[in-house]
Amino acid sequence: MSPPDRGQSTVEFALVLPLLAVVILGSLQITVILVRRVELVHVVRDAARAASVAADSQGAAERSVAGSSLPDVQVDVREVGTHLAVTGRLLVPTDVPLIGELLPDLTLDETLTIAIDDT
């Protein structure tokens, strides 16, 4: 390596490091959002199951959500003919350093339709 080339790789690394940090932190934020999405699907599914067999569908769904891993999910139950449409809404803060300041908080919605148990 000739003397003028010394330190070139350090300079190149210093130039690429901010981009690499943004990519890694962005991937982490996407992972957090996807995990919350899967958790929301499970909570809404459990709330729909509880609401379909209870006389008070809204109350049963809310009790199911209160005992879940995501107690801050807002649940809405609508009766559509012989089915219930259960909608869950969750605010996911984008709080990963650097990325959280670039992206607004996200609201995830999940709707599940389930038949009402007539027994």
Side-chain angles (χ1 to χ4, degrees):
M1 196 180 272
S2 63
D5 292 337
R6 293 191 62 176
Q8 179 180 350
S9 61
T10 304
V11 171
E12 290 172 354
F13 180 71
L15 291 173
V16 172
L17 186 61
L19 179 61
L20 183 63
V22 168
V23 168
I24 290 172
L25 292 173
S27 299
L28 179 63
Q29 183 65 63
I30 290 170
T31 302
V32 168
I33 292 168
L34 291 176
V35 166
R36 291 289 181 255
R37 173 83 176 158
V38 169
E39 290 175 338
L40 177 63
V41 168
H42 288 293
V43 168
V44 170
R45 185 189 61 212
D46 291 342
R49 187 178 302 124
S52 71
V53 296
D56 176 22
S57 347
Q58 183 71 33
E62 289 173 357
R63 283 189 299 276
S64 174
V65 168
S68 73
S69 62
L70 293 175
D72 51 341
V73 173
Q74 299 172 349
V75 177
D76 179 44
V77 178
R78 291 178 290 115
E79 194 167 326
V80 183
T82 61
H83 291 77
L84 287 178
V86 179
T87 302
R89 175 169 285 150
L90 176 65
L91 178 67
V92 179
T94 53
D95 52 2
V96 171
L98 185 65
I99 300 299
E101 297 162 5
L102 299 174
L103 297 174
D105 292 347
L106 299 174
T107 301
L108 300 177
D109 291 320
E110 179 65 30
T111 301
L112 188 133
T113 304
I114 191 167
I116 299 172
D117 188 6
D118 292 336
T119 59

